[in-house]
Every structure is written in C-alpha cells, then in structure tokens.
Amino acid sequence: MVGFWIRIVLSMLAIAGMGWLFAAIGEARSGWLVAVLLLGGWVVYHLFYLQKAMAWLEDFQLDRVPHGSGAWESLYAKIYRLAKSSERQRQQLTETLKDFRSATEAMPDGVVTLDEDNQILYANEQAEDQLGISTEKDAGRNLINIVRHPEFVSYLNSGSWEKSVVIRGIRSSNRVLQVQLIPYGTRQRLLMTRDITQIDRLETTRRDFVANVSHELKTPLTVLNGFLETLRDLPLQEEQKSQYLGLMQIQAQRMQNIVEDLLVLSKLESTASVTQEDPIAMPALIERLGNDAKSLSRDQHQIHCHCSANSILIGAEDELSSAFANLVSNAVRYTPAGGSITIQWALEPDGSGSFSVADTGPGIESQHLPRLTERFYRVDRSRSRETGGTGLGLAIVKHVATRHQAQLLIDSEVGKGSRFTLLFPEKRLRPGPAQSRPD
Ligand code: ADP
C-alpha cells in the first residue's frame, strides 16, 4: 500500500518537475502543455488497466489473468491469489459437504437437517423414505406441513427433545419410527429417525409368547391344584381317588408336552440351518410313519402309504422324523373316525422331493391358513386340547422346513380335508440303493 502511494507521489513530482523545468528555461506555456499531456497520458494509462481489471472481474475466470504493468500487475496477481485461495476453500467445503452427505447416506438411520423454523435443509435417502419427503422438491418447505402426523407435529413443536419418541403410522399404518430432534450449531436442528418396525414386532411377539405360555400352563396347573386340594381335604373312596389321579396325570402330561415342544422350538431357533447330513431312506421312513399312524388311529381310520421314489433324503433325521410325525399325528387327531389318511413320498417333475400327508378331515377355512404355523394358534381349540395338542406342532414343522430349505404348503377345503406338503430341494436328494428284482 505504501509502495503504491510512493509511486503516485513520484509520478506527480515527475510531472510537476517537468513543468517546472520547462518554466525555468522560459518555455512555461509549452511546459504546462507537456505536463497536462503527461498527466492525461498517466490517467489514460491507469484507466486502461482499470478497464481491463473491470472486464476480468465481470466475466471472472481464474486462468485468464490480464497482462498488466507496474502496480496493476501486482494488483492482478493479488486478485489472482485471493481468488485461487477462495476457490480452494470452496472446493474443500464442497468436499466436506460431499463427505457429510455420503456419510449420512451410508447411515442406516434417517437424518434431516432443519433450520429453526423446521424448514428442510437436507434429508438423506432413509429419511426421505421414512417420512415421505424429498430434498430436491421439499428443501425450504416446513417439515410439519409435509409430515402431518399429530404426534410427530406435537413432538417437533414441544421444545423438549431430550428423549426420543416412538411414533406409529407415519406413511404406513404398520411402520414404527423412533424419532429424536437434536438442536445444534446456532439455530439448526438435526432430526434422527430410526425404523424400529421389526424390533417392535419382535417385542410384541415376545410379549404375546410369554402371555401365551403362561396361559397354556396356567389351565392344567389350576386343574391339578384343584384335584390336589380335593384329595387332601376330602375322604375319598379308592376308586374316586384313582380316577382323580388319572385326570391329574393327563394335565401333568399336557404340561410336559408343552414344555417338551417349547424346548424343541428353542433348540431349532438356536441355529439358522442344519449341519447334520443323515441319509434318510424314504421308503423305510414312510412305512414306519404308516405304522405309527395305525397305532395312533387305533383302527379308526384307513391309512394309505405311497412311496413312488426310492430316494435318500439328506438332513437331520431327528428333526425331520419329528416334523413328519407331527403332520401324521395332526391328520389322525383331526380326522373323524371312518376317514382316510394318505402318507406319500414322490419326486416332482422339477426334481424336488415332496412329502405329503392328506386327510379327509374337517378341512380348515382359508383365513386361518396363513396363521397356522404361529405358536399356539389353533383353529379348533377344544379339539386340539382334547387330543393332547400343544398348538406348537406346525410351528415346529415350519422351523424344520426352513432349516432344510424346504417349503411347507397347505391345501385345505372345508368339509373335504387337508393336505400338508413339505417340498425338499433337489440338492437334498440322492437316489436310493438299486432294488434287487425277484427272479
Ligand atoms: P395342535 O397341537 O393344536 O394340533 P398344530 O400347530 O399342530 O397344533 O396345529 C395348529 C392348528 O391347525 C390345530 O390346532 C388345528 O386347529 C389345525 N390343524 C392342524 N392340522 C390339521 C388337520 N390335519 N386338519 C384340520 N385342522 C388341522
């Protein structure tokens, strides 16, 4: 800056000196003319470079620095350096913003940045999906005017955001979101949203499960307790006593069945898939299941067995036998006397293996079908109890199927009967040993 003013003063002194020189040699008029011309030239010179600077700044491009001389050259260089450093800062800022956005996009939770009036500044993809907003279209709009859920609006307006809130039904009736507003910076706000639908569903299932187990065990326990009190307080005949003891045993057996099935389920749930690779000869297994069905039925049903393929099924033998036996036992228990039951193993055209149990029982109304594999779900509660059912059999079958990559299919028609099929993938099948032909 000092250098600049020294140059101005020196230029002025040179022009004045020139005038004074001419005046001293008696040429005052031409002296002043020369001085004015020089002054004019000096002004034009600076106007020229000023104009260049203006043109450059108006259509600013960093790499098109105009040529200058003297003070102008250093002025252009200074502008260049300043512009370059601000460009570098802008680039750094853009990079930081990009990093922030990719970090928030990578987050499993929704993030929305808001100003103090709840106007949207930015929302990541998860928040866009969870709240039904779009940064592109809704930036600058008030979030409350877009997400009009009463609980959400009242939380945002409450001013007490220390704790998160759980809100159901934003965008979709069964979605559950955990929402928290965090003020930051001078007046900005960060809205965090987390989809906890799955966790909430698991928690509900757990709660229902505990309630169901307690309920299932409470009934036989109450009955047992009643009999115990009667036996203790009343002088009973031997015959009556043994009748009561028999009834108590049925209730104790019922509790034992429930606990055993619960243990089987919990064991099945402890690992996602089976590692056991037992070769199970299907013809022998079908025959065994047929015999079990006959003894369960006590000759009250016609039992048919068909095994159209001599296959070996690979899997956990104890699990598969228990799943097949559950289907057979259901068919026997729910089919009235005189009905028929068919146990079948066959190969499907696509190479998969199908195990099915069909009965001519009461059938099941279609609205119950999707819920049959839920724990303790029963269509006919009293029939299930009467026949010693726990309500866990099909849940076990479904688990075993999933662990063996098999599908459980249920076809049923009310009044006609039901067919439960387990479809095993081809990779779980091997051809059985060749049968020796009779001579
Ligand atoms: P349960 O121990 O009560 O039999 P399951 O889980 O095995 O429990 O079966 C669930 C319900 O599905 C049963 O309570 C019954 O209402 C129905 N069900 C199962 N198998 C049959 C069948 N073969 N015919 C008619 N209803 C059936």
Side-chain angles (χ1 to χ4, degrees), residues 276-282 311-317 428 430:
Q276 219 170 314
E277 300 222 327
D278 304 325
I280 307 162
M282 286 312 285
S311 323
I312 302 275
L313 175 63
I314 305 294
E317 185 162 11
R428 289 211 164 266
R430 306 278 181 276

Side-chain angles (χ1 to χ4, degrees), residues 348-410:
E348 296 297 318
D350 66 356
S352 55
S354 92
F355 170 85
S356 65
V357 180
D359 63 53
T360 56
I364 303 159
E365 284 179 59
S366 60
Q367 77 265 22
H368 297 293
L369 298 182
R371 300 198 58 192
L372 284 188
T373 55
E374 286 176 21
R375 296 160 186 193
F376 300 116
Y377 188 85
R378 292 157 169 129
V379 181
D380 185 342
R381 194 163 279 274
S382 56
R383 178 103 186 103
S384 162
R385 290 229 173 97
E386 269 167 33
T387 56
T390 59
L392 297 169
L394 290 180
I396 292 176
V397 173
K398 174 79 184 170
H399 263 82
V400 172
T402 310
R403 287 161 59 78
H404 288 81
Q405 301 80 44
Q407 260 180 295
L408 170 65
L409 309 174
I410 309 173

Side-chain angles (χ1 to χ4, degrees), residues 2 14 39 52 159 176 178 193 275 282 304 344 358 413 422 437:
V2 176
L39 189 62
K52 263 186 152 186
V176 188
Q178 185 176 25
T193 58
T275 46
M282 286 312 285
H304 307 284
Q344 191 168 0
E413 207 176 318
L422 283 168
R437 285 194 200 165

Side-chain angles (χ1 to χ4, degrees), residues 313-328:
L313 175 63
I314 305 294
E317 185 162 11
D318 51 345
E319 288 182 23
L320 288 166
S321 300
S322 126
F324 296 158
N326 258 310
L327 294 180
V328 170

Side-chain angles (χ1 to χ4, degrees), residues 17 19 36 53 76 120 136 138 205 215-216 240 296 353 358 371 424-425 427:
V36 167
Y76 294 162
I120 301 169
E136 210 179 290
D138 299 323
T205 312
H215 178 76
E216 293 291 331
Q240 238 175 343
L296 259 178
R371 300 198 58 192
F424 291 91
K427 64 176 181 184

Side-chain angles (χ1 to χ4, degrees), residues 106-372:
M107 278 172 72
D109 296 341
V111 175
V112 188
T113 46
L114 301 165
D115 69 8
E116 58 181 326
D117 298 320
N118 293 327
Q119 286 181 345
I120 301 169
L121 302 173
Y122 165 75
N124 71 354
E125 242 176 66
Q126 288 79 326
E128 290 188 331
D129 171 55
Q130 289 164 4
L131 301 173
I133 55 175
S134 146
T135 307
E136 210 179 290
K137 286 193 211 137
D138 299 323
R141 286 184 67 196
N142 195 314
L143 183 61
I144 285 170
N145 292 337
I146 308 173
V147 184
R148 291 169 180 268
H149 191 287
E151 278 175 62
F152 182 77
V153 172
S154 98
Y155 175 68
L156 250 61
N157 287 336
S158 68
S160 53
W161 305 306
E162 302 77 29
K163 284 188 189 153
S164 60
V165 283
V166 172
I167 301 177
R168 285 161 211 275
I170 293 182
R171 282 202 89 193
S172 131
S173 59
N174 41 23
R175 185 176 257 178
V176 188
L177 291 184
Q178 185 176 25
V179 175
Q180 182 158 26
L181 197 75
I182 305 158
Y184 74 99
T186 42
R187 277 170 180 164
Q188 284 98 317
R189 295 161 177 191
L190 190 75
L191 182 78
M192 304 282 295
T193 58
R194 175 172 292 176
D195 190 336
I196 55 163
T197 314
Q198 196 63 17
I199 300 170
D200 185 74
R201 203 172 294 151
L202 285 175
E203 180 55 25
T204 312
T205 312
R206 192 194 60 79
R207 237 181 289 128
D208 288 353
F209 177 68
V210 173
N212 278 333
V213 172
S214 320
H215 178 76
E216 293 291 331
L217 293 175
K218 196 178 160 201
T219 319
L221 265 177
T222 315
V223 179
L224 260 182
N225 222 8
F227 281 128
L228 279 174
E229 273 174 23
T230 316
L231 284 172
R232 191 193 57 195
D233 300 340
L234 296 179
L236 296 170
Q237 305 271 316
E238 271 315 300
E239 198 185 328
Q240 238 175 343
K241 251 191 211 166
S242 92
Q243 190 199 351
Y244 283 2
L245 285 171
L247 290 170
M248 283 169 71
Q249 199 179 359
I250 293 175
Q251 298 305 325
Q253 184 62 49
R254 200 170 133 198
M255 286 194 291
Q256 191 174 338
N257 291 347
I258 293 174
V259 172
E260 272 169 11
D261 276 0
L262 283 173
L263 287 173
V264 171
L265 265 179
S266 110
K267 195 174 149 221
L268 290 175
E269 278 174 349
S270 63
T271 53
S273 67
V274 278
T275 46
Q276 219 170 314
E277 300 222 327
D278 304 325
I280 307 162
M282 286 312 285
L285 182 65
I286 295 290
E287 198 183 322
R288 205 168 68 226
L289 288 168
N291 291 334
D292 291 350
K294 277 178 199 149
S295 72
L296 259 178
S297 156
R298 293 200 206 101
D299 285 336
Q300 290 189 317
H301 306 93
Q302 298 159 44
I303 312 285
H304 307 284
C305 292
H306 295 300
C307 188
S308 59
N310 177 23
S311 323
I312 302 275
L313 175 63
I314 305 294
E317 185 162 11
D318 51 345
E319 288 182 23
L320 288 166
S321 300
S322 126
F324 296 158
N326 258 310
L327 294 180
V328 170
S329 138
N330 278 357
V332 174
R333 288 190 297 117
Y334 293 105
T335 305
S340 80
I341 292 156
T342 308
I343 305 166
Q344 191 168 0
W345 170 256
L347 287 185
E348 296 297 318
D350 66 356
S352 55
S354 92
F355 170 85
S356 65
V357 180
D359 63 53
T360 56
I364 303 159
E365 284 179 59
S366 60
Q367 77 265 22
H368 297 293
L369 298 182
R371 300 198 58 192
L372 284 188

